[in-house]
Amino acid sequence: MIKKIKSSLEIYNKNPEFLNIREELVDVAIVIYVTKLRYNRQDLDNVAKIVLDALTKRDKEDSDYLLKDDSQVVRLLLYKKQRKELPDADTSQMSVSIRKHDSSKEMNLVSYGVI
């Protein structure tokens, strides 16, 4: 999965807008569209880990990355959605959105406390 995500990063790495966020704080949204079976079994925290690993620079020679380090992620939205079943397909899809973090747009917390 990491290799598939990394291969799609080649397009973004040619765009100067994405090069400018490599060292910025960012918000990341990940939406996965999965089959009914995977919807009931897929752990979102595992999806987030894989995607963030793929977006992050792995070593000095790695040129296909959007983030220098996953600690740059300030907000992370994960959304799992059951996809429409297609008779001849058994694949899932993923959409990843990254934007520069805007600290002036605070999140509204419903409640807080110690769990």
Side-chain angles (χ1 to χ4, degrees):
M1 180 61 91
I2 290 176
K3 286 182 182 181
K4 287 181 181 180
I5 296 169
K6 283 250 183 228
S7 68
S8 67
L9 291 178
E10 294 173 21
I11 297 166
Y12 296 104
N13 284 324
K14 294 175 184 170
N15 183 333
E17 292 297 318
F18 283 100
L19 295 177
N20 292 334
I21 68 165
R22 282 187 164 175
E23 298 192 26
E24 299 287 337
L25 296 177
V26 295
D27 299 331
V28 177
I30 303 167
V31 181
I32 60 170
Y33 302 89
V34 295
T35 63
K36 183 177 181 179
L37 178 64
R38 286 192 63 205
Y39 185 84
N40 294 328
R41 295 182 179 178
Q42 181 71 57
D43 292 338
L44 281 178
D45 59 327
N46 295 334
V47 172
K49 178 74 174 138
I50 290 169
V51 171
L52 293 179
D53 284 349
L55 297 178
T56 305
K57 185 172 185 173
R58 306 310 305 157
D59 54 46
K60 290 180 182 180
E61 288 78 37
D62 189 1
S63 61
D64 291 327
Y65 68 95
L66 290 181
L67 304 174
K68 207 170 183 185
D69 189 84
D70 56 7
S71 65
Q72 292 168 244
V73 177
V74 176
R75 293 183 186 143
L76 177 62
L77 170 68
L78 302 171
Y79 183 39
K80 176 173 57 172
K81 190 170 182 178
Q82 187 173 329
R83 71 166 176 80
K84 293 181 181 175
E85 297 292 334
L86 301 173
D88 296 330
D90 187 30
T91 59
S92 298
Q93 295 175 316
M94 179 185 312
S95 174
V96 179
S97 175
I98 300 170
R99 70 175 181 193
K100 193 172 176 179
H101 177 69
D102 183 351
S103 60
S104 69
K105 296 181 180 178
E106 291 297 319
M107 293 178 67
N108 295 322
L109 298 177
V110 175
S111 64
Y112 63 93
V114 178
I115 297 175

